[in-house]
Amino acid sequence: MKSPSNIMRQSSLTKLGSMINTAVNKRVGNGDIQWCFSQVKGTLEDDVTEADIISCVEFNHDGDLLATGDKGGRVVIFQRDPVSKNSIPRRGEYNVYSTFQSHEPEFDYLKSLEIEEKINKIRWLKRKNPAHFLLSTNDKTIKLWKVSERDKRVEGYNTKEENGTIRDPACITSLRVPTIKPMELMVEASPRRIFANAHTYHINSISVNSDQETYLSADDLRINLWHLEITDQSFNIVDIKPTNMEELTEVITAAEFHPAECNVLVYSSSKGTIRLCDMRSAALCDQHSKLFEEPEDPTNRSFFSEIISSISDVKLSNSGRYMISRDYLSVKVWDLQMETRPIECYPVHEYLRSKLCSLYENDCIFDKFECCWSGNDSAIMTGSYNNFFRVFDRTTKRDLTLEAARDIAKPKTLLKPRKVCTGGKRKKDEISVDCLDFNKKILHTAWHPSENVVAVAATNNLFLFQDKL
């Protein structure tokens, strides 16, 4: 039997990846949400190497680029196809734009620990010039990458040949004016900053501040504040490490800056609480400004209550008024003005409550599902097992279960809602809860910032879905 402290540590440190696919949604007259298959990026093969499993998905601020990271330390950037973007109706199709190795495996000789190359998070900076910038992190090191295009080359140097070799000065008899000539487009990714040696524990979150000058990084027990121009210094703004580690009762699971107020951040814990901190009140934000916690229902108390109440992800809405939190069985919407209880609660896979014992035995109960907002904050998306993902419409209160599967990998295929049967006679198109594949899980999803285009990572495939055309 695992002790409560070990449960907390395992809940925080368990990391699993997933695959990438593309999808889109649409509201029709009766309020239903319909999704149409747009594209799939991946192999759709049964044999999947561990390094190919996708571990994070993130759109940039205008949605023209989509970045994915995998367990092999690679970052793949997809660019929206110009034809699909300008077509009527617009389509959500993306092509590979750039691929580069972000992190390599390392070894900490002082602690005799291997440091995985797996990309835990990717966050884009807002575009200020023709180049794109993004932050990527593994367990210990954060890197700032510059992604730029080059479609011209300079010819006619005086002191070197076209292949770069230096010319013999004795052969230079005249001066030439170098000329600029077009060349095949080349996309270059280069590391501009490396932020290292600031975290004792594994980094689980990074978030760029609205001022676009600073960002935070969070591990299990601390949150640090960085300036994007300074790599050798960071400020510790949250520290929940107890003096005696035997007294450890909770860990930080996710952290994020407010989208508009540069002094406000939130972080969630394995105890099911969310703390809002104001950096103006003190340099060290150990004293939170607000504590969001739902009162526990004594009738639902069980051995697994503490584990399933752990929050795996928290996301502030684009408007900055609300936030969503994802625990094991549900996703909740909170109003930043009300701390006592969530204003909305959506069960994701309540049918698994009776399966918690077996999910505990196979460690699935420690899976960290992410969640995301639609561009206008009217809908929420999160993942489940059997490659199912869930969409909740906050306006109509309708919910939808969809599957990212290889048999729908044809453009404009309309996704059929899936239903899970918990007992009794199974209807057509229903799947029994005992037949769910717990090795197929949608942990990572992303929603286009302004359109109904979503990306769903399923093992090593990226599915893209869009509005019903």
Side-chain angles (χ1 to χ4, degrees):
M1 188 64 68
K2 303 174 186 176
S3 67
S5 60
N6 286 336
I7 290 172
M8 286 301 169
R9 293 180 188 127
Q10 186 172 359
S11 175
S12 171
L13 300 176
T14 299
K15 290 181 167 62
L16 291 171
S18 63
M19 295 167 56
I20 309 181
N21 290 288
T22 314
V24 204
N25 90 339
K26 181 180 181 181
R27 287 167 188 76
V28 292
N30 60 4
D32 288 334
I33 300 175
Q34 292 188 328
W35 298 79
C36 173
F37 177 78
S38 174
Q39 203 175 9
V40 61
K41 299 292 183 181
T43 60
L44 291 179
E45 295 176 354
D46 292 326
D47 295 331
V48 179
T49 63
E50 186 78 4
D52 292 331
I53 295 177
I54 295 170
S55 54
C56 56
V57 185
E58 188 76 9
F59 280 102
N60 73 339
H61 292 275
D62 59 13
D64 282 348
L65 296 180
L66 172 63
T68 66
D70 62 27
K71 285 191 172 184
R74 297 180 296 267
V75 172
V76 180
I77 301 176
F78 300 94
Q79 184 181 48
R80 190 164 189 177
D81 183 76
V83 176
S84 77
K85 180 180 178 180
N86 299 319
S87 65
I88 301 176
R90 289 158 68 104
R91 304 192 307 274
E93 298 175 2
Y94 287 74
N95 301 316
V96 174
Y97 179 66
S98 177
T99 303
F100 58 92
Q101 188 73 30
S102 175
H103 287 72
E104 300 281 357
E106 300 176 40
F107 190 81
D108 188 335
Y109 292 96
L110 294 177
K111 297 182 179 179
S112 296
L113 290 175
E114 292 184 3
I115 302 174
E116 293 182 346
E117 64 270 34
K118 173 192 165 191
I119 308 298
N120 293 337
K121 294 289 180 183
I122 291 175
R123 291 292 180 264
W124 291 91
L125 277 67
K126 288 185 178 178
R127 196 173 184 183
K128 296 180 179 178
N129 56 48
H132 299 274
F133 290 86
L134 60 87
L135 289 168
S136 64
T137 183
N138 66 350
D139 287 340
K140 297 291 182 181
T141 304
I142 306 160
K143 296 183 180 181
L144 174 66
W145 290 89
K146 177 183 179 181
V147 182
S148 56
E149 296 181 353
R150 187 153 59 93
D151 59 358
K152 295 180 178 62
R153 69 175 185 269
V154 179
E155 293 183 353
Y157 287 104
N158 288 284
T159 58
K160 62 182 180 180
E161 303 291 349
E162 301 303 333
N163 60 6
T165 58
I166 302 299
R167 297 178 65 188
D168 183 357
C171 298
I172 301 175
T173 58
S174 62
L175 291 177
R176 294 186 293 176
V177 177
T179 58
I180 298 177
K181 293 189 176 181
M183 59 176 282
E184 185 178 351
L185 177 65
M186 179 183 294
V187 181
E188 299 175 320
S190 56
R192 306 298 290 178
R193 306 276 188 277
I194 298 178
F195 307 88
N197 306 318
H199 285 276
T200 305
Y201 307 96
H202 292 177
I203 298 172
N204 56 49
S205 302
I206 52 176
S207 178
V208 181
N209 202 344
S210 59
D211 61 14
Q212 294 293 300
E213 294 182 358
T214 57
Y215 74 93
L216 66 78
S217 59
D219 63 24
D220 299 316
L221 298 177
R222 297 186 178 97
I223 300 177
N224 293 336
L225 179 67
W226 299 83
H227 194 284
L228 285 164
E229 299 293 330
I230 302 173
T231 61
D232 59 354
Q233 186 179 32
S234 65
F235 297 95
N236 178 231
I237 54 176
V238 174
D239 188 348
I240 66 169
K241 181 181 179 181
T243 305
N244 182 3
M245 284 295 283
E246 294 297 322
E247 300 173 358
L248 178 67
T249 59
E250 66 178 328
V251 292
I252 298 170
T253 56
E256 188 177 54
F257 267 123
H258 191 278
E261 300 177 23
C262 62
N263 53 285
V264 175
L265 63 98
V266 298
Y267 69 92
S268 58
S269 85
S270 56
K271 271 193 169 182
T273 62
I274 305 171
R275 292 173 174 86
L276 183 144
C277 301
D278 191 334
M279 293 191 295
R280 296 174 301 183
S281 60
L284 190 62
C285 299
D286 283 351
Q287 299 299 319
H288 52 267
S289 300
K290 292 184 179 182
L291 177 66
F292 301 86
E293 184 176 16
E294 184 177 25
E296 183 181 10
D297 185 355
T299 60
N300 289 333
R301 181 70 184 173
S302 70
F303 171 79
F304 305 106
S305 296
E306 191 175 355
I307 307 174
I308 63 176
S309 65
S310 174
I311 296 175
S312 58
D313 194 20
V314 60
K315 293 281 175 61
L316 286 152
S317 65
N318 298 294
S319 66
R321 173 68 188 271
Y322 306 99
M323 64 180 172
I324 50 176
S325 63
R326 172 68 204 267
D327 56 42
Y328 189 68
L329 294 178
S330 64
V331 59
K332 298 179 175 111
V333 181
W334 301 80
D335 188 326
L336 293 188
Q337 305 302 319
M338 189 172 79
E339 305 171 53
T340 53
R341 59 178 53 84
I343 59 173
E344 300 164 26
C345 182
Y346 302 98
V348 177
H349 38 217
E350 186 65 25
Y351 46 79
L352 294 182
R353 190 176 290 275
S354 61
K355 304 287 185 182
L356 292 179
C357 187
S358 58
L359 291 167
Y360 177 77
E361 292 299 324
N362 62 19
D363 280 345
C364 283
I365 201 169
F366 300 108
D367 285 339
K368 292 181 144 187
F369 292 96
E370 297 177 1
C371 52
C372 62
W373 291 93
S374 64
N376 59 4
D377 299 340
S378 65
I380 301 164
M381 180 171 60
T382 191
S384 182
Y385 294 104
N386 208 69
N387 278 356
F388 288 169
F389 61 98
R390 303 269 282 145
V391 181
F392 303 95
D393 191 312
R394 298 182 59 215
T395 305
T396 64
K397 304 303 179 185
R398 294 178 183 267
D399 62 90
L400 200 59
T401 300
L402 301 169
E403 183 180 6
R406 66 181 68 187
D407 56 1
I408 55 96
K410 293 181 181 179
K412 300 184 181 181
T413 302
L414 189 65
L415 299 189
K416 295 181 179 179
R418 301 302 306 268
K419 291 185 179 181
V420 178
C421 174
T422 56
K425 188 175 181 180
R426 183 168 61 90
K427 298 179 182 178
K428 185 181 179 181
D429 295 333
E430 285 187 343
I431 181 171
S432 171
V433 66
D434 297 320
C435 297
L436 295 176
D437 189 343
F438 293 102
N439 292 317
K440 294 180 180 180
K441 56 195 79 174
I442 302 295
L443 300 178
H444 313 287
T445 59
W447 203 306
H448 190 285
S450 59
E451 297 181 33
N452 285 329
V453 176
V454 297
V456 177
T459 319
N460 68 328
N461 293 323
L462 177 67
F463 289 91
L464 295 171
F465 301 89
Q466 66 181 55
D467 292 358
K468 176 176 173 292
L469 300 177

